[in-house]
Amino acid sequence: MIEIQNISKSFDGIEVIKDINIVFEKGKTNLIIGQSGSGKTVLLKSIVGLHDIDKGNILYDDIVFNTLDFEDKKQMRQKMGMLFQGGALFDSNTVEENVMFPLDMFTNMNFDEKRDRANECLKRVNIVNANHLYPDEISGGMKKRVAIARAIALNPKYLFCDEPNSGLDPKTAILIDNLIKEITVEYDMTTVVNTHDMNSVMEIGDKVMFIHNGEKWWEGTRDEIFNTENEELNNFIFASKLSRKIRDLEK
Amino acid sequence: MNLFFHIGRYFLLLKKVFTKPEKFKIFYKETINEIDKLGINSISIVAIISVFMGAVITIQTAYNTESPIYPAYLIGLTARDTLLLEFSSTIVALILAGKIGSNISSEIGSMRVTEQIDALEIMGVNSANYLILPKITAAVLFAPFLTLMSMVIGLFGGWIAGISTGVMTSQQYIYGIQYAFIPYYITYSLIKIVIFVFLITTISSYHGYYSYGGALDVGRSSTKAVVHSSIFILLFNVILTQLLLS
C-alpha cells in the first residue's frame, strides 16, 4: 500500500502538484488520469522520489519514503519497478541484458540463474526469440513488454507505469494494460498507472484518481466514473465524439 | 550567481560519483569497456595528429633557425621540448576534449532525455557512480599512455620530416633529441594529462547528466562540454606550469 499525504511540488515558484491525498491499494491497479500537463508525471515521479516534494509525506507500507536518506532510499527502490513512457531500455544492451541488469546489480546469482530468471520474465510478457536483439530492433509494444519484464525481474512490491500505452495501437495498448493487470494480481503488487486513455480506465482501473491543474478533483472506481457529476471529469471522459455518441446511445 | 550554482552542482555530482561502486565486478567490466571506447579508439587520432605536428614543428624550427650560428641538432632539441612540454599533454588534451568530451556528454545526455538515468535511479542504482566513475577511471588510466605514445610518434614524425626535407641529418636529429634531456619533463607532462582528462571527463559528464529536453539540448550540452573542458584545460595549464616548473 502506498499512502500519499498532502503532497505539493513546485517548479520555479509555480505549484504543479497541490496538496494531494490518496491511498493506492495493494493488489490493485490504481490509475491517475488527467489531461496532458495536469501534473500526472510530476506526481508519479514525486511518488518514486525522482522529484523531491515540497511538503507532505509518501508512505510505503508505513515507511515514510521522502525522509529516508540516500542509502535507505536506494534499498527501498529495489522493491520498486517502473515502466517509463518510452520504455527507457538501455540502448547498448540486448533485450536479455536489459532484463538481467537488475539481477546483475542486486543479486548474487550466477550467470545461468540470471539468464533463467530473465527468460522467465520475458516469457511472462510473451517475448520469445528476441533475447539477442537491441532495443532499436524491436517494436514499441515489445519495448514496453521488455520494460515490464525488467521491472518485475526482482519481484517488486510496487509497480509504476507512466503512460504505458502511449504511442501504441489500440489492440497492443489493451494487451499491455491487461499484462499490467495480470502481473499486479500475480505478484500481489501495488500498481500505480498514469494514463489519459479511457480504454485503460475501463480495462484495468480498480481505483481511479482524476487530477486537474495539479489538484485531485475526483476519486472512485471505474464503475462510478461514468455516473459522476464532476464537470471537469465529464469533459475529460467525453472529450471524443465516439465517447459522446456511446453516452447518448446508452441514454 | 549562475556560475556558483554550476560549481556547487558540479561538486555535488562528484560527491555522488566518488562513492563505493555497487559491485566491483560490474565496475571493472564497465571500466574495461570505457578504456576501449575512450582510450583505444583515440589512439589513431592522437597518432595521426602527433606525427604531423612533430613534422611541422621540425620544419618550422629549421626554417626559423636557418643560420650558421645555430647548430642543426637544435632542431631535434626544440622538437623534443615542444612535444614533451606542451604538445603531448595540452594539445592532446584539447583533442581529447573534442573527441571524448562530446562523446561522454552526448551519451549521458541521451540517457537522461530518454529516461534511462531515471530507470537506473528507480532500480536503486547510483546512476552518477555507475555511469561516470568508470569513464573517469578509464580516461585517467589510459591518457598517460596516449601522451607517451604521442611523444614517441611526434619525435618520429619530426625525424621523417627532417630527413626527407634535408634540413638536417639523422645523426644531428638523434643527437638533438638526446641533448640536455630533462626526464622531469615527462613526469610534468604526465601529471598535466591526468589532471586534464579528469577535467574533461567530469565536466563533460556534468553537462550530459544535467541535460534536459530533447536532441537539440543534448547537442547544446555536448558543445558546452567541449568549450568548458577546453577553457579549463587552458586555465589549469597555466596553473600547473607555474606550480610544476617554477
Side-chain angles (χ1 to χ4, degrees), chain A residues 50-251:
Chain A
L50 290 174
H51 293 317
D52 291 327
I53 53 172
D54 299 336
K55 70 177 182 86
N57 281 317
I58 299 156
L59 281 77
Y60 284 81
D61 293 316
D62 300 328
I63 297 167
V64 186
F65 178 66
N66 51 297
T67 56
L68 295 178
D69 63 22
F70 185 70
E71 282 304 316
D72 289 338
K73 264 188 187 164
K74 263 176 61 182
Q75 295 297 321
M76 195 71 190
R77 279 177 173 158
Q78 287 165 34
K79 296 176 189 163
M80 298 179 191
M82 186 157 176
L83 169 59
F84 288 88
Q85 214 168 329
L89 298 176
F90 305 128
D91 301 327
S92 53
N93 292 357
T94 62
V95 162
E96 189 178 80
E97 285 165 352
N98 262 285
V99 182
M100 277 168 70
F101 183 84
L103 303 168
D104 281 335
M105 294 302 280
F106 301 113
T107 69
N108 292 319
M109 290 176 173
N110 63 37
F111 181 78
D112 288 338
E113 287 170 335
K114 284 185 283 193
R115 198 180 47 195
D116 289 347
R117 174 64 185 151
N119 282 326
E120 192 186 312
C121 295
L122 284 167
K123 203 173 157 195
R124 179 64 195 85
V125 298
N126 302 320
I127 298 277
V128 282
N129 299 328
N131 290 30
H132 301 294
L133 296 177
Y134 283 89
D136 60 358
E137 295 171 329
I138 57 176
S139 68
M142 280 172 86
K143 276 183 196 166
K144 304 259 172 154
R145 282 186 283 154
V146 175
I148 294 173
R150 185 177 67 182
I152 60 170
L154 286 174
N155 292 316
K157 286 174 77 178
Y158 316 98
L159 179 68
F160 302 92
C161 307
D162 188 13
E163 309 210 1
N165 42 25
S166 67
L168 300 179
D169 64 88
K171 209 175 158 190
T172 312
I174 288 170
L175 279 174
I176 297 289
D177 280 341
N178 286 330
L179 188 59
I180 292 169
K181 173 84 182 160
E182 286 163 21
I183 283 169
T184 301
V185 175
E186 204 174 305
Y187 286 77
D188 197 23
M189 292 184 291
T190 307
T191 298
V192 183
V193 181
N194 253 358
T195 186
H196 47 59
D197 184 355
M198 283 311 293
N199 289 328
S200 297
V201 176
M202 293 307 294
E203 289 288 331
I204 59 168
D206 293 332
K207 182 173 186 174
V208 184
M209 171 173 72
F210 172 65
I211 61 170
H212 181 67
N213 289 337
E215 285 178 81
K216 184 173 98 175
W217 277 54
W218 186 86
E219 180 187 335
T221 65
R222 68 181 148 192
D223 299 323
E224 291 164 352
I225 202 167
F226 291 100
N227 301 318
T228 177
E229 302 207 338
N230 186 309
E231 203 185 327
E232 282 298 335
L233 181 54
N234 273 317
N235 289 342
F236 176 78
I237 301 168
F238 301 109
S240 74
K241 260 186 188 172
L242 180 68
S243 54
R244 283 198 298 273
K245 208 169 178 179
I246 294 167
R247 179 184 60 182
D248 295 343
L249 280 171
E250 289 265 320
K251 277 181 183 173

Side-chain angles (χ1 to χ4, degrees), chain B residues 127-138:
Chain B
S127 60
N129 173 276
Y130 173 75
L131 293 173
I132 303 172
L133 191 60
K135 293 186 197 304
I136 298 172
T137 313

Side-chain angles (χ1 to χ4, degrees), chain A residues 45 48 50 70 74 77-78 80 82 84-86 88-91 101-102 104-108 150, chain B residues 16 19-20 22-23 25-26 29 110-111 114-126 130:
Chain A
K45 288 192 172 179
V48 297
L50 290 174
F70 185 70
K74 263 176 61 182
R77 279 177 173 158
Q78 287 165 34
M80 298 179 191
M82 186 157 176
F84 288 88
Q85 214 168 329
L89 298 176
F90 305 128
D91 301 327
F101 183 84
D104 281 335
M105 294 302 280
F106 301 113
T107 69
N108 292 319
R150 185 177 67 182
Chain B
K16 267 181 87 181
T19 50
K20 191 176 152 242
E22 212 70 56
K23 271 196 173 173
K25 200 177 153 193
I26 292 173
K29 192 179 135 202
S110 301
M111 289 186 77
T114 55
E115 295 182 312
Q116 291 176 49
I117 291 181
D118 288 345
L120 283 170
E121 291 286 334
I122 287 297
M123 286 177 204
V125 177
N126 176 349
Y130 173 75

Side-chain angles (χ1 to χ4, degrees), chain A residues 1-12:
Chain A
M1 184 185 78
I2 303 169
E3 195 176 345
I4 309 297
Q5 296 176 339
N6 307 89
I7 69 164
S8 296
K9 173 69 187 165
S10 304
F11 292 103
D12 298 325

Side-chain angles (χ1 to χ4, degrees), chain B residues 116-178:
Chain B
Q116 291 176 49
I117 291 181
D118 288 345
L120 283 170
E121 291 286 334
I122 287 297
M123 286 177 204
V125 177
N126 176 349
S127 60
N129 173 276
Y130 173 75
L131 293 173
I132 303 172
L133 191 60
K135 293 186 197 304
I136 298 172
T137 313
V140 164
L141 287 177
F142 202 77
F145 170 74
L146 286 176
T147 293
L148 291 171
M149 186 195 77
S150 163
M151 289 171 184
V152 173
I153 294 177
L155 289 173
F156 177 70
W159 177 74
I160 295 274
I163 301 301
S164 56
T165 55
V167 293
M168 63 188 178
T169 64
S170 180
Q171 286 80 4
Q172 284 168 331
Y173 185 78
I174 290 165
Y175 179 73
I177 61 172
Q178 292 174 334

